[in-house]
Amino acid sequence: MSETLENLYSETRQFPPPADLAANANVKAEAYDEADENRQWFWEQQAKRLSWAKPWEQVLDWSNPPFAKWFVGGELNIAYNCVDRHVEAGHGDKVAIHWEGEPGDTRSITYADLLKSVSQAANTLTELGITAGDRVAIYLPMIPEAAVAMLACARIGATHSVVFGGFSVDALSTRIQDADAKLVITADGGYRRGKPSALKPTVDDAVAQCPSIEHVLVVRRTGEDVAWGEKDLWWHETVEQAGDKHEPQAFDSEHPLFILYTSGTTGKPKGILHTTGGYLTQTSYTHNAVFDLKPESDVYWCTADIGWVTGHSYIVYGPLSNGATQVMYEGTPDTPNRGRFWEIVDKYKVTILYTAPTLIRTMMKWGDDIPAKYDLSSLRVLGSVGEPINPEAWMWYRANVGHDNCPIVDTWWQTETGSVMISPLPGVTSTKPGSAMTALPGISADVVDDEARSVPNGGGGFLVLREPWPSMLRTIWGDDQRFIDTYWSRFGKGAGVGEDWIYFAGDGAKKDDDGALWLLGRVDDVMLISGHNISTTEVESALVSHPSVAEAAVVGATDPTTGQAIVAFTIPRGNVDTSGEAGEKLIQELRLHVAKKLGPIAKPRQIMLVAELPKTRSGKIMRRLLKDVAENRSLGDVTTLQDSTVMDLISSGMTSTK
Ligand code: 6R9
């Protein structure tokens, strides 16, 4: 049985960078060679983007692998780098955040305003007894206070642990307990789908199970009634009344900055730990390089939630360390109508948009006529993150949002990597729809077979990282052994082979004939069909390339003859007739379409037409649950689903579309 992936999909379209963007790009092609010549020297140059209170003595200490230390002996304050220094440089009046509430209320926050709020919050946290090294849980909607709370923690050296505002009591309390947090910062609620959505009751129930919590700091957002206990304090009665001067103290480069939990498919959530100097160096560098950020003229918008790593690195730390002006939006893309995103792009003249494939496919489903109603001509760079982007969704994004001339940067990275690792550079790379292309300068990514041998162009296997990088996770909070077992024991020294430590990312990937990288989804999701390893991503992309399909999720279900068989859940585009015979006809057509694109081995045994797919809050399809449906099992853990009613919809639709 071969363990490497079949290489089924081929793509020949290619788009060079626009000439004017290439001519003025922040990062040019030479960067790759410079970094290849001397990786540590390269990262040392990038660290100079930041303001250090004390210089480092050593770039990288890798004497105790896989535990890395970057910029050893250096000291800096993250909040100073993200806020104060821009004010000191005369940019106090510059807007840091154009915030747009879902009901239409807005706030424009300058760097001077941000300095005031972060200083006040830092003073309040200190008064509440929070000191360097303490953990603070943050459970907030997408309001500016979320960024302020994170920066205030960073300013005083407290380690934040942000938990998605949609997670349940159990998810919140296990994360608080694992981190042993002393304080929770939350809100009465936030706005979602046109209504206030309460948060405080969840916190109350969670805190009842968490004796470590001494105080709960509550932002008033919706004004709805909340129960009030003795640990509770209002943000507006504390932070907003506090002194607005606060002297930032420098912390060691390896001081813990945050813990962020990733759920994974099995076991308890892993608390991914990030530290200070290396993390900020790489988020700042990549935000500048990958988006070609021009802080004086760009308006940047990342649509992620702050509870996802993308919100940490590319709403808070990357953009603010670079002095960017950005948009932050509280709500859902279809409130009050399906044009809300494009209305925001038009209103703030957004130039750089960073979003997820799930949203792009949703917009495809809603129809081309919606973005066409708005003026999107301000856009100049488009980004994608979170999942492989199907080539047809990429093409749709380029044509309907990027007016056929914005480079698309498909950025591969993980909570664990802290910042972007694989991506085109918008002024350098000729992009191919669906490919994340190449590792960034200073990053060593490879695709290997099951014996850690680099696969040749045209081959497929496992994505690995061969060299440590500045924003790498330092460990799993409280569990060094699990850190070693999960990421470092599959290949290389940690697996008892050779001298090198090799990071196992858990993703399947292939190199095309030109050596460009294609991400193929989690290795756990790979299907084994009659002895062939086939990626879910490739079959999904083949389905999405049919004009009637907006979105597809594919799983391998146990099959008596083939071992596993392909079962596809497919969302038709808005205008497609799926009733009765038309639906049956479409299903047959789709099966043939996949066989034609990828070969008969990839032909789905069964296709179901569905209205929605189960997704996490960061938009990743939960194939594990679909597999339960396909194999007629009762559903596993659904606590991290964005919308738990989706599974009822899918299970009940099963029989009629078989
Ligand atoms: C940033 C983030 C990490 C996993 C990762 C991979 C998938 C993310 C991707 C991508 C293909 C991309 N992923 N970006 N797959 N192309 N551009 O998403 O972090 O939530 O920890 O997820 O997401 O499978 O391993 P996280």
Side-chain angles (χ1 to χ4, degrees):
M1 182 182 83
S2 139
E3 272 234 16
T4 41
L5 301 185
E6 306 292 312
N7 212 339
L8 297 175
Y9 191 90
S10 69
E11 173 64 59
T12 50
R13 292 169 288 193
Q14 198 155 357
F15 299 91
D20 51 337
L21 198 151
N24 299 305
N26 291 352
V27 181
K28 304 268 169 55
E30 300 84 78
Y32 294 103
D33 295 335
E34 284 172 13
D36 278 350
E37 258 169 52
N38 190 337
R39 197 176 302 276
Q40 291 195 22
W41 173 87
F42 173 82
W43 283 117
E44 187 160 32
Q45 301 317 303
Q46 310 320 322
K48 293 178 186 164
R49 305 175 58 78
L50 307 178
S51 173
W52 295 75
K54 184 166 166 249
W56 55 89
E57 287 142 23
Q58 191 188 356
V59 177
L60 168 65
D61 176 358
W62 192 233
S63 60
N64 179 30
F67 300 94
K69 291 186 181 150
W70 280 87
F71 307 113
V72 183
E75 289 181 5
L76 72 167
N77 185 286
I78 291 234
Y80 176 82
N81 273 280
C82 291
V83 188
D84 307 45
R85 65 171 176 152
H86 305 312
V87 178
E88 287 172 11
H91 303 308
D93 292 338
K94 185 178 177 184
V95 172
I97 300 174
H98 287 293
W99 178 76
E100 172 101 4
E102 196 190 72
D105 50 336
T106 60
R107 285 158 68 183
S108 279
I109 296 163
T110 64
Y111 276 94
D113 297 335
L114 199 57
L115 176 58
K116 180 175 177 216
S117 303
V118 171
S119 300
Q120 289 182 309
N123 282 324
T124 303
L125 296 192
T126 304
E127 276 162 36
L128 294 177
I130 305 296
T131 56
D134 285 344
R135 271 82 57 208
V136 173
I138 297 177
Y139 185 74
L140 282 169
M142 284 294 287
I143 55 178
E145 286 79 1
V148 171
M150 290 163 74
L151 290 166
C153 289
R155 193 174 186 90
I156 64 168
T159 304
H160 58 70
S161 162
V162 182
V163 181
F164 260 135
F167 278 178
S168 63
V169 173
D170 269 0
L172 177 59
S173 61
T174 50
R175 284 160 179 74
I176 291 175
Q177 285 162 7
D178 187 74
D180 203 19
K182 278 168 84 168
L183 172 73
V184 190
I185 305 179
T186 186
D188 48 2
Y191 286 91
R192 283 196 83 73
R193 299 191 198 288
K195 297 192 295 276
S197 160
L199 289 177
K200 178 77 169 35
T202 308
V203 176
D204 292 343
D205 291 350
V207 167
Q209 303 165 26
C210 300
S212 65
I213 294 295
E214 295 169 6
H215 296 286
V216 179
L217 191 51
V218 190
V219 178
R220 190 161 64 191
R221 164 66 183 132
T222 62
E224 300 228 298
D225 284 343
V226 288
W228 208 248
E230 54 186 27
K231 293 182 178 176
D232 299 338
L233 298 161
W234 282 114
W235 176 280
H236 60 271
E237 289 176 356
T238 52
V239 176
E240 287 173 17
Q241 311 304 324
D244 60 8
K245 297 279 174 286
H246 181 275
E247 196 57 43
Q249 177 196 340
F251 293 99
D252 189 89
S253 181
E254 284 300 330
H255 187 78
L257 173 64
F258 67 83
I259 303 167
L260 186 59
Y261 288 85
T262 63
S263 47
T265 41
T266 48
K268 78 172 194 170
K270 301 189 281 281
I272 304 300
L273 179 71
H274 282 286
T275 59
T276 299
Y279 173 78
L280 198 65
T281 295
Q282 197 177 332
T283 50
S284 172
Y285 170 70
T286 52
H287 181 254
N288 174 274
V290 169
F291 300 106
D292 190 43
L293 177 85
K294 307 281 194 264
E296 53 300 338
S297 51
D298 274 320
V299 179
Y300 165 86
W301 181 24
C302 168
T303 68
D305 192 286
I306 219 122
W308 181 20
V309 71
T310 306
H312 284 54
S313 301
Y314 297 105
I315 294 177
V316 180
Y317 295 112
L320 296 177
S321 67
N322 289 334
T325 292
Q326 69 176 316
V327 172
M328 180 175 178
Y329 172 56
E330 178 185 31
T332 46
D334 52 355
T335 309
N337 62 64
R338 292 175 166 182
R340 186 67 186 268
F341 268 31
W342 315 125
E343 196 179 290
I344 292 175
V345 169
D346 192 352
K347 175 173 172 186
Y348 295 100
K349 301 293 165 222
V350 172
T351 59
I352 304 170
L353 178 68
Y354 192 27
T355 192
T358 174
L359 265 158
I360 298 163
R361 292 186 301 253
T362 302
M363 302 291 181
M364 276 170 81
K365 179 175 71 180
W366 290 344
D368 306 359
D369 52 318
I370 297 176
K373 282 190 224 146
Y374 299 87
D375 179 5
L376 307 180
S377 61
S378 55
L379 289 168
R380 64 179 201 94
V381 177
L382 303 177
S384 173
V385 56
E387 282 180 292
I389 176 165
N390 322 95
E392 286 320 306
W394 194 104
M395 290 301 293
W396 187 92
Y397 195 25
R398 179 178 158 89
N400 294 279
V401 182
H403 32 83
D404 280 320
N405 67 358
C406 293
I408 297 181
V409 289
D410 173 10
T411 62
W412 179 90
W413 57 295
Q414 310 176 297
T415 308
E416 292 86 341
T417 68
S419 13
V420 175
M421 303 293 281
I422 304 174
S423 167
L425 286 174
V428 178
T429 316
S430 278
T431 51
K432 300 180 185 186
S435 169
M437 302 302 298
T438 43
L440 289 179
I443 299 301
S444 167
D446 198 2
V447 181
V448 300
D449 64 17
D450 41 336
E451 283 169 43
R453 285 177 304 228
S454 187
V455 304
N457 287 356
F462 306 98
L463 183 73
V464 298
L465 301 166
R466 292 190 179 275
E467 300 284 344
W469 62 100
S471 65
M472 65 197 283
L473 77 164
R474 297 305 194 256
T475 190
I476 292 174
W477 180 255
D479 201 344
D480 287 348
Q481 192 56 47
R482 192 172 179 203
F483 168 65
I484 298 171
D485 293 345
T486 309
Y487 306 107
W488 303 97
S489 301
R490 177 75 181 251
F491 298 117
K493 177 99 174 169
V497 183
E499 284 309 305
D500 297 326
W501 287 81
I502 300 176
Y503 174 89
F504 170 62
D507 281 344
K510 69 180 189 191
K511 292 179 187 168
D512 70 15
D513 293 338
D514 304 324
L517 298 174
W518 293 74
L519 280 308
L520 298 175
R522 301 295 296 166
V523 172
D524 305 340
D525 290 334
V526 169
M527 303 173 293
L528 188 61
I529 316 291
S530 306
H532 299 266
N533 265 319
I534 295 182
S535 103
T536 51
T537 302
E538 290 187 300
V539 182
E540 286 161 8
S541 288
L543 284 162
V544 174
S545 75
H546 189 280
S548 299
V549 175
E551 188 149 19
V554 160
V555 297
T558 315
D559 185 273
T561 38
T562 54
Q564 278 189 326
I566 299 177
V567 177
F569 298 78
T570 305
I571 306 182
R573 290 216 196 182
N575 53 354
V576 177
D577 179 12
T578 56
S579 56
E581 248 178 66
E584 280 306 318
K585 216 172 133 240
L586 176 60
I587 287 169
Q588 292 319 320
E589 201 179 306
L590 291 177
R591 293 182 68 222
L592 294 174
H593 177 77
V594 175
K596 200 165 138 229
K597 282 244 143 187
L598 302 180
I601 188 147
K603 188 173 173 180
R605 177 187 77 188
Q606 191 182 357
I607 294 183
M608 279 166 278
L609 303 177
V610 294
E612 282 301 338
L613 291 169
K615 287 182 194 149
T616 65
R617 280 292 297 276
S618 63
K620 295 192 210 309
I621 297 167
M622 294 182 78
R623 292 184 188 73
R624 167 172 68 77
L625 296 179
L626 293 173
K627 209 168 155 160
D628 289 344
V629 173
E631 293 179 344
N632 285 319
R633 258 195 315 275
S634 59
L635 293 182
D637 182 15
V638 294
T639 51
T640 52
L641 262 186
Q642 187 178 27
D643 174 1
S644 56
T645 57
V646 165
M647 288 318 294
D648 305 335
L649 256 166
I650 294 172
S651 309
S652 64
M654 274 275 300
T655 43
S656 59
T657 51
K658 190 162 174 173

